[in-house]
Amino acid sequence: MKTILLLLGALLFTGCATHQSPTGRGQTLLFSSQEMSQLGESSFAQIKQQEKVSQDKAVNAYVNCVANRVTDALPDQSLPWEVVVFESEQVNAFALPGGHIGVYTGLLDVATDSDQLATVIGHEIAHVLANHSNEQVSRAQMTGAGMQLADIALGAGGIADKDLYMAALGLGVQVGYILPYGRSQESEADVIGVELMAKAGFDPAASVDLWQNMSKAGGELGPELLSTHPSHGQRIAQLQQMQAKAQPLYLMSKSSVKNICQRPK
């Protein structure tokens, strides 16, 4: 049996695709974009069944306004993005392959304005754009974290070991099994996310304020968002350094912004 698994593992590594992330970092991706979209759709459907969807019209309008402006700044406009607000004290948000964004109402207590909320949404979308979910699922597959090395059930009939896959998608808080993004992925999502929010007409300087708020929230452990998005000492310093590039993007785009996102009172 061990020999068979080793052979399957060798075939898996042979068939894997090597890519470059948007910042030029090498990536090993085992799954197609179609498979990842299917996995994201299935996981999002499960979360919508498990979590309470907010019916607050003002909050939904606000979150959708911010999210839509960020996604409208994406170079690829072929994908419709679904945005759902969940009624929960969790300070959390996520984005999944296939165009799915989830925001928990608890985040609005920490992201105190639309610019700060755009920071989080831009950061989460950046994880999708940079194929970080694919990297995570591929890593879990290659290390055999409780999964079969072949014939992963990604069909409509269900997903094998779906909790592990959902954790690899960055949904560890929801399923209780955390496979956190690595430091390089987090740094990359910060870079891409800040540039994205700036192109959407949100002030990138708010990214520094947001992560300072995050570090203060939830006591010593911090909010749920930081349990799957590890914070490190260089994050705020990196964001401050990025302002030189991001601010000109913001100044060029803010004059063309038509939808001002008003935070509910």
Side-chain angles (χ1 to χ4, degrees), residues 21 25-29 36 130-140 142 185 188:
S21 73
R25 182 175 56 84
Q27 297 175 300
T28 298
L29 308 178
M36 290 306 301
N131 290 311
H132 292 166
S133 297
N134 199 333
E135 272 191 287
Q136 293 293 91
V137 176
S138 298
R139 184 183 71 174
M142 288 187 293
Q185 293 170 323
E188 199 166 55

Side-chain angles (χ1 to χ4, degrees), residues 35-169:
E35 287 173 324
M36 290 306 301
S37 294
Q38 186 175 351
L39 183 56
E41 181 178 352
S42 177
S43 297
F44 200 56
Q46 182 177 338
I47 294 171
K48 286 190 289 186
Q49 291 178 346
Q50 295 174 343
E51 303 286 342
K52 181 181 179 181
V53 176
S54 173
Q55 301 301 319
D56 189 314
K57 292 183 179 180
V59 170
N60 273 275
Y62 170 62
V63 172
N64 272 271
C65 178
V66 175
N68 290 340
R69 272 179 52 184
V70 174
T71 56
D72 284 346
L74 294 172
D76 182 3
Q77 290 295 307
S78 63
L79 182 67
W81 286 80
E82 176 186 11
V83 183
V84 176
V85 181
F86 297 104
E87 191 68 43
S88 171
E89 294 182 356
Q90 288 188 36
V91 180
N92 208 1
F94 60 87
L96 297 177
H100 308 282
I101 298 171
V103 175
Y104 290 81
T105 53
L107 176 63
L108 305 183
D109 295 329
V110 178
T112 57
D113 58 35
S114 60
D115 296 306
Q116 291 186 24
L117 180 58
T119 299
V120 178
I121 292 176
H123 178 93
E124 297 303 321
I125 291 175
H127 279 306
V128 176
L129 296 179
N131 290 311
H132 292 166
S133 297
N134 199 333
E135 272 191 287
Q136 293 293 91
V137 176
S138 298
R139 184 183 71 174
Q141 171 76 346
M142 288 187 293
T143 57
M147 305 174 192
Q148 296 296 323
L149 286 174
D151 285 335
I152 301 304
L154 286 168
I159 299 175
D161 300 294
K162 60 186 176 183
D163 281 0
L164 282 169
Y165 280 118
M166 289 176 70
L169 287 168

Side-chain angles (χ1 to χ4, degrees), residues 244-265:
K245 181 177 181 180
Q247 282 295 327
L249 296 174
Y250 166 60
L251 294 175
M252 285 190 296
S253 60
K254 71 173 185 176
S255 60
S256 61
V257 171
K258 297 179 181 179
N259 297 324
I260 305 300
C261 303
Q262 298 290 342
R263 178 185 172 88
K265 296 181 179 179

Side-chain angles (χ1 to χ4, degrees), residues 215-236:
S215 67
K216 297 175 185 177
E220 292 183 2
L221 295 178
E224 288 87 347
L225 187 66
L226 295 185
S227 67
T228 51
H229 294 248
S231 181
H232 51 85
Q234 295 181 345
R235 171 169 247 157
I236 290 176

